[in-house]
Amino acid sequence: MPTDTKRVRGPEASQSPSLFLCKPAAVHPSLEPRADGRQRDQVDVRPVFVRCGLVSQAKGSAYIEAGNTKLMCCVYGPREMERKDDTDMKCGRLTTDMRFAPFSCLERGSWIQGSQEKDLSLMLHESLQPAVCLTKYPRSQIEVNVMVLENSGSVLAHAVTCASLALADAGIEMYDLVLGCSMRQDAASYVVDPSYVEEMDCSSVGSNNQGGLTVAFLPSLNQISGLQSDGEMAEETLTAGVRTCIDGCYKLYPVIQQALSKAVRRAALPSES
């Protein structure tokens, strides 16, 4: 076989130059400051902007913005069930649909609902159903549609809060509001309301105490309606994480109450003829 005369062959016992590069000293995640200036190992949630009643075609709607995470929720119903086979004479039905806008993530997605969106829709349904008085709406269904406009982390927790606001704006009878909060455990350190970069951070893949936790909480009843976790965390860490998320929900509660009271006052104003 003829040799390639135009290629300069290197020595047989050669090594890659990357082996001789000086690697920077590894910084433990617990010592790194958070990109947005918030503190680690503290209940430090992002500032939240909330507004109700923005979509006139829906029975109730809500918009929430936490940092760069932006979501919109619309509620339709109660109305007659589409399928007569699913009709319940004693109890209504709650349906949830959560989708990502194609421009919401770093990589452009499609309008077709994927497996992640189906899982999030199921978690959203499990978090909201215990708070809705479905016995007040027999033979009816209530539809909750959540659209993620921008994903910058903690979308499930903020989707729970936004959907609860939209249900209240629609006048649906509920036992209590549902607030969501999430945290990310990384070895001995944790962050509350993590951003998208912090959720994707895999700096401690080999650690046995790493994972994420999302809690849906009813503040007035002091009850948990939904809990979702991933990763590997010790029992003590998981228990402490639930308490941390509950404290984060209590921090959001005054903001949600103020947004609802403003929506009620706007609705009570006489319309200009």
Side-chain angles (χ1 to χ4, degrees):
M1 183 176 180
T3 59
D4 189 357
T5 58
K6 296 182 179 180
R7 177 175 300 176
V8 179
R9 299 181 63 183
E12 295 181 358
S14 61
Q15 294 179 336
S16 174
S18 60
L19 296 176
F20 303 95
L21 293 177
C22 296
K23 297 182 180 179
V27 181
H28 195 272
S30 61
L31 302 178
E32 293 180 355
R34 301 182 70 176
D36 51 8
R38 290 181 292 157
Q39 300 295 322
R40 289 180 174 269
D41 302 324
Q42 293 184 13
V43 186
D44 198 355
V45 298
R46 288 176 286 187
V48 176
F49 171 79
V50 182
R51 187 73 182 269
C52 298
L54 296 179
V55 182
S56 58
Q57 293 85 355
K59 184 68 177 298
S61 61
Y63 171 81
I64 188 169
E65 184 175 323
N68 290 329
T69 299
K70 304 176 180 67
L71 299 97
M72 173 74 73
C73 179
C74 296
V75 173
Y76 301 92
R79 55 191 181 189
E80 187 179 1
M81 290 187 179
E82 297 178 356
R83 297 180 56 183
K84 300 299 182 182
D85 299 339
D86 299 334
T87 302
D88 192 341
M89 302 298 293
K90 297 182 179 180
C91 183
R93 182 184 180 189
L94 179 69
T95 62
T96 57
D97 183 78
M98 184 172 175
R99 295 177 183 266
F100 289 88
F103 50 82
S104 62
C105 303
L106 296 178
E107 296 182 1
R108 188 174 181 86
S110 63
W111 283 106
I112 303 175
Q113 191 179 34
S115 59
Q116 181 188 10
E117 295 169 319
K118 293 180 180 178
D119 293 340
L120 291 174
S121 299
L122 180 60
M123 298 173 193
L124 180 64
H125 180 270
E126 293 176 351
S127 301
L128 294 176
Q129 188 171 12
V132 181
C133 302
L134 293 176
T135 55
K136 299 287 186 179
Y137 307 99
R139 298 181 297 174
S140 303
Q141 70 176 5
I142 301 170
E143 300 177 7
V144 178
N145 300 318
V146 177
M147 176 63 68
V148 180
L149 303 176
E150 185 172 353
N151 180 12
S152 185
S154 306
V155 288
L156 178 59
H158 295 300
V160 170
T161 305
C162 188
S164 174
L165 274 169
L167 286 168
D169 183 64
I172 304 298
E173 292 193 38
M174 304 172 64
Y175 299 106
D176 194 4
L177 288 172
V178 188
L179 305 181
C181 184
S182 60
M183 57 89 67
R184 186 76 185 174
Q185 185 76 31
D186 193 0
S189 175
Y190 69 86
V191 291
V192 178
D193 192 14
S195 63
Y196 183 79
V197 177
E198 292 170 339
E199 286 182 339
M200 298 293 105
D201 186 17
C202 299
S203 58
S204 307
V205 176
S207 175
N208 294 328
N209 203 21
Q210 182 189 22
L213 179 67
T214 301
V215 173
F217 185 66
L218 283 65
S220 297
L221 300 178
N222 195 27
Q223 294 181 2
I224 294 176
S225 62
L227 190 147
Q228 186 268 337
S229 65
D230 58 69
E232 296 183 6
M233 290 183 286
E235 182 179 353
E236 298 79 7
T237 305
L238 189 61
T239 304
V242 171
R243 295 196 187 100
T244 301
C245 290
I246 290 176
D247 293 339
C249 292
Y250 277 122
K251 276 197 169 186
L252 293 174
Y253 196 31
V255 181
I256 304 305
Q257 285 180 316
Q258 185 179 8
L260 275 178
S261 62
K262 286 183 179 180
V264 171
R265 286 197 295 267
R266 285 196 304 268
L269 292 176
S271 59
E272 296 180 1
S273 55

